[in-house]
Amino acid sequence: MSSSIKNDWVLKVENLTKIYGSYSDETIALTGPQRGTNICPITGSIVACANISFELYPGEVLGIVGESGSGKSTIVKQLFFDMEVTNGNAYLKPYKNGTVNILTESNQKKRYMRNHLMGMVYQNPRDGLNFSFTSGGNIAEKLLMADMFHVGKIRERASSLLSKTEVPVARMDDLPAYFSGGMQQRVQISKAIANNPPLLFLDEITSGLDVSVQAKVLDLIRGLQRELGIAMIVVSHDLSVIRMLTDRTLVLKDGRIVERGLTDQILQDPQHEYTQLLVSSLL
Amino acid sequence: MATILEVKNLRKFFHLYILNNKQIEALTDVEFSMEEGEIVGLTGKSGSGKSTLMKTIYRTYLANEGEINYLSSASGIVDLVTANEHTVLELRRKEITYCSQFLKVIPRVTAVDVVADPIVKKESDRILAREVATELIQKLGLPKELWDAFPSTFSGGEQQRINIAHAIISKPRFLLVDEPTASLDAKTKDIVIELILDLKKQGTSVLLITHDEYTLSNLADKIVHLQHGRIVEQTYA
Ligand SMILES: Nc1ncnc2c1ncn2[C@@H]1O[C@H](COP(=O)(O)OP(=O)(O)O)[C@@H](O)[C@H]1O
Ligand SMILES: Nc1ncnc2c1ncn2[C@@H]1O[C@H](COP(=O)(O)OP(=O)(O)O)[C@@H](O)[C@H]1O
Ligand SMILES: [Mg+2]
Ligand SMILES: [Mg+2]
């Protein structure tokens, strides 16, 4: 079994590294969980993440958990091309059959991948939505970028996406600024999945919401995952979100992966000291 | 008949950093095997390591030493101690199910949907899957008014029925069940026993933890007895 599915990944990441400031050969060795910091004592540079490697399989949901500042957003932002990488390779199966490092492609090619093959939902709806467009207009923008130009089809798709994410279709022509936080998040999700991406990043998407609204957004994500089978990376500092949504989990500390495993194993038999601490605070 | 599970030299301990580096030896040198279509009962006092052994086979717990060789119908022998996570997830989806002692449901999903979930591969399966699920929970005597309610509010016995239905609906090749009849009345107990025997007839192999003599004597072909994390006796029924 392992051999037949080894090459089945949608996304493969190798040694992804992001360092802020000028650094030396020793910077990586002088930072990380053993040192208890991501700041290099010699150069003062910040190692936001280092040597991050993993594979994501079709339809799978991978969690990335860790405290604030551990490097979670840095990982997904680099993969979504929001941020330049310092080092590392990433391969996306639907792009040139996974044979080229997407991180070193031209900006034009990166735009193509963002528009056609990926989606991102940010913690702050303002990062994913254009607040001067209506909710329908935001979805239209994404569809236009993914080369759908027929106005009638765009409106049809926008209204079907909004109803899928339980945003009243009557509010399609309203500005998201007048929506509740939970509804803004739903519009952002509609926009992120508008191009039917095989890969979706979700960065702390419920962190700014009331608990009751959080639950509904999580239900929505679970339903979409089931229905559309999109591979997802779910970033959260909250293990209960990870428990509810993910199959596998990476535990991050000071920019490094300290433990990885099946989510139920991470929660019930955590191996690393830091993971044990995280899990005990959940109970 | 082929061996479906072969556990060799298995050791499992818990090292608890946050409890002053306390180390709990939960399983020591555990060895046993199961034939295809067999029901093996796992017994022993509370704390003897039964649930730990089952969870280690399911890979919710990581073994420290030893092998768990499982004969997969799709891919031959897989060592569940070292198999990659993706392989384990595939096996959980297609061949191996686990019925825990406690309910772990997804919040805000109805009883019928919880039970139907393992056989819903695509959204279009849902209607049929819900029918199969409804039939099963009806058979297990779950009151009709609970079918579309949320199991997190159910009583122990009702939750147990949901757990069992969830684990058997896909007719797994290998079933792990932890105390399936513990909080059930005599009538429901008999139904569960009958359902497990039905699966066995269809080829399912079952590892069963139970304290209940009646359940054990009606189901087990072989009994493995644990004491302080070691197998002290194996007897055939
Ligand atoms: N522009 C920046 N300049 C310097 N350091 C940064 C910058 N952006 C993020 N960092 C640092 O990188 C580390 C990882 O940040 P981030 O990926 O946002 O963490 P998380 O998402 O886990 O909270 C943090 O220590 C953060 O302060
Ligand atoms: N997740 C865990 N973390 C730490 N210790 C555990 C864990 N699970 C089980 N144990 C310990 O392992 C031993 C065996 O427990 P268990 O397998 O639950 O026994 P049984 O199911 O036979 O009652 C006990 O000492 C228990 O405290
Ligand atoms: Mg962040
Ligand atoms: Mg037990």
Side-chain angles (χ1 to χ4, degrees):
Chain A
M1 174 171 286
S2 29
S3 61
S4 66
I5 54 177
K6 270 247 162 71
N7 295 315
D8 211 20
W9 44 264
V10 248
L11 176 72
K12 179 171 166 168
V13 176
E14 293 172 344
N15 294 316
L16 191 67
T17 301
K18 175 74 181 180
I19 307 178
Y20 290 103
S22 50
Y23 54 96
S24 71
D25 291 346
E26 291 160 296
T27 296
I28 293 203
L30 293 173
T31 54
Q34 279 101 346
R35 304 276 174 168
T37 178
N38 64 357
I39 303 173
C40 174
I42 294 174
T43 63
S45 55
I46 296 172
V47 182
C49 72
N51 299 327
I52 304 296
S53 301
F54 63 88
E55 289 165 6
L56 179 71
Y57 292 89
E60 181 182 53
V61 186
L62 177 73
I64 302 182
V65 70
E67 64 202 356
S68 169
S70 58
K72 305 180 297 296
S73 296
T74 302
I75 294 175
V76 286
K77 282 185 175 159
Q78 290 176 100
L79 296 172
F80 195 61
F81 313 121
D82 275 342
M83 181 188 275
E84 288 291 317
V85 307
T86 302
N87 232 317
N89 308 319
Y91 306 90
L92 187 63
K93 213 14 139 354
Y95 182 74
K96 298 187 176 168
N97 204 24
T99 54
V100 300
N101 179 7
I102 59 172
L103 302 173
T104 53
E105 289 289 269
S106 69
N107 284 337
Q108 187 202 346
K109 301 256 172 61
K110 286 178 178 171
R111 240 182 338 263
Y112 170 85
M113 285 183 261
R114 271 173 75 120
N115 292 338
H116 292 83
L117 305 175
M118 299 176 179
M120 167 80 100
V121 183
Y122 299 89
Q123 171 172 1
N124 186 343
R126 287 184 185 268
D127 292 333
L129 293 175
N130 185 332
F131 268 49
S132 54
F133 293 172
T134 63
S135 55
N138 267 284
I139 297 172
E141 184 195 19
K142 178 99 185 196
L143 291 169
L144 286 167
M145 289 192 296
D147 302 333
M148 187 192 268
F149 300 115
H150 188 287
V151 178
K153 286 209 175 110
I154 287 177
R155 271 195 83 80
E156 204 177 289
R157 173 93 176 128
S159 77
S160 107
L161 283 162
L162 290 173
S163 67
K164 208 191 275 299
T165 55
E166 292 166 32
V167 176
V169 176
R171 308 216 50 185
M172 185 153 125
D173 299 315
D174 292 346
L175 295 171
Y178 302 114
F179 293 2
S180 68
M183 206 189 289
Q184 288 174 353
Q185 225 37 331
R186 289 164 188 280
V187 176
Q188 206 197 164
I189 293 165
S190 305
K191 181 177 183 175
I193 62 170
N195 57 348
N196 261 326
L199 177 59
L200 183 65
F201 301 111
L202 305 166
D203 191 357
E204 303 272 10
I205 61 163
T206 56
S207 300
L209 305 174
D210 294 341
V211 178
S212 61
V213 182
Q214 275 185 20
K216 291 192 129 189
V217 171
L218 294 177
D219 288 350
L220 171 65
I221 296 297
R222 226 189 31 238
L224 289 174
Q225 207 285 326
R226 178 45 22 114
E227 189 179 334
L228 308 172
I230 311 175
M232 297 182 186
I233 296 183
V234 174
V235 164
S236 182
H237 69 282
D238 183 350
L239 269 177
S240 61
V241 170
I242 298 290
R243 167 162 60 193
M244 182 160 158
L245 294 179
T246 71
D247 307 311
R248 289 195 298 134
T249 298
L250 309 177
V251 182
L252 222 61
K253 183 167 191 323
D254 297 321
R256 312 302 152 89
I257 297 173
V258 293
E259 181 165 359
R260 64 176 80 213
L262 297 173
T263 300
D264 55 322
Q265 179 257 300
I266 295 288
L267 290 167
Q268 295 188 49
D269 187 18
Q271 305 290 303
H272 193 277
E273 182 168 4
Y274 175 68
T275 318
Q276 292 187 2
L277 199 68
L278 269 187
V279 171
S280 69
S281 63
L282 180 70
L283 305 175
Chain B
M1 201 158 267
T3 300
I4 190 162
L5 191 81
E6 187 191 31
V7 176
K8 281 168 50 180
N9 185 32
L10 193 68
R11 178 173 180 216
K12 171 65 190 167
F13 58 80
F14 297 95
H15 186 102
L16 305 176
Y17 292 93
I18 55 168
L19 284 181
N20 261 324
N21 289 309
K22 181 174 178 183
Q23 187 149 317
I24 299 170
E25 292 289 337
L27 298 173
T28 308
D29 202 15
V30 167
E31 299 210 358
F32 74 101
S33 62
M34 287 176 62
E35 300 303 302
E36 254 181 290
E38 202 171 40
I39 300 181
V40 172
L42 203 52
T43 64
K45 286 202 190 109
S46 171
S48 60
K50 305 179 296 296
S51 297
T52 297
L53 176 54
M54 193 167 272
K55 287 185 179 185
T56 306
I57 294 169
Y58 196 61
R59 249 287 268 286
T60 297
Y61 290 170
L62 289 173
N64 300 95
E65 284 170 33
E67 294 171 27
I68 301 174
N69 294 313
Y70 167 74
L71 179 63
S72 156
S73 68
S75 36
I77 293 174
V78 177
D79 180 357
L80 296 170
V81 171
T82 55
N84 72 41
E85 291 153 20
H86 191 59
T87 303
V88 175
L89 286 171
E90 272 297 291
L91 289 173
R92 287 182 180 186
R93 272 190 284 269
K94 302 207 170 117
E95 303 191 19
I96 305 177
T97 65
Y98 167 63
C99 177
S100 134
Q101 226 171 326
F102 309 101
L103 183 79
K104 25 169 218 218
V105 286
I106 316 152
R108 299 171 303 280
V109 178
T110 68
V112 175
D113 283 310
V114 168
V115 173
D117 195 63
I119 57 169
V120 179
K121 301 280 186 286
K122 332 183 267 313
E123 211 41 39
S124 56
D125 302 340
R126 182 163 306 273
I127 293 173
L128 185 63
R130 282 181 55 98
E131 277 171 26
V132 179
T134 306
E135 205 176 303
L136 191 54
I137 54 180
Q138 183 168 24
K139 197 167 194 178
L140 283 162
L142 191 78
K144 190 166 186 175
E145 58 274 19
L146 295 183
W147 296 355
D148 281 306
F150 302 140
S152 48
T153 61
F154 289 8
S155 73
E158 289 157 358
Q159 293 193 346
Q160 194 153 43
R161 290 170 227 221
I162 299 298
N163 259 350
I164 292 165
H166 176 86
I168 67 176
I169 192 166
S170 61
K171 300 192 171 26
R173 173 172 166 77
F174 186 37
L175 171 67
L176 301 163
V177 270
D178 199 343
E179 300 283 6
T181 56
S183 39
L184 299 179
D185 56 84
K187 188 172 151 228
T188 313
K189 209 181 267 190
D190 279 331
I191 295 166
V192 170
I193 289 169
E194 188 193 317
L195 284 168
I196 292 177
L197 287 173
D198 272 354
L199 283 179
K200 176 188 156 96
K201 256 183 238 151
Q202 296 172 51
T204 298
S205 313
V206 184
L207 184 61
L208 160 79
I209 295 175
T210 185
H211 270 105
D212 183 55
E213 254 323 304
Y214 180 78
T215 304
L216 196 65
S217 61
N218 275 284
L219 285 175
D221 300 308
K222 175 168 123 177
I223 295 169
V224 171
H225 195 82
L226 276 178
Q227 203 174 317
H228 303 304
R230 292 173 186 271
I231 293 179
V232 289
E233 198 184 0
Q234 297 194 43
T235 50
Y236 286 86

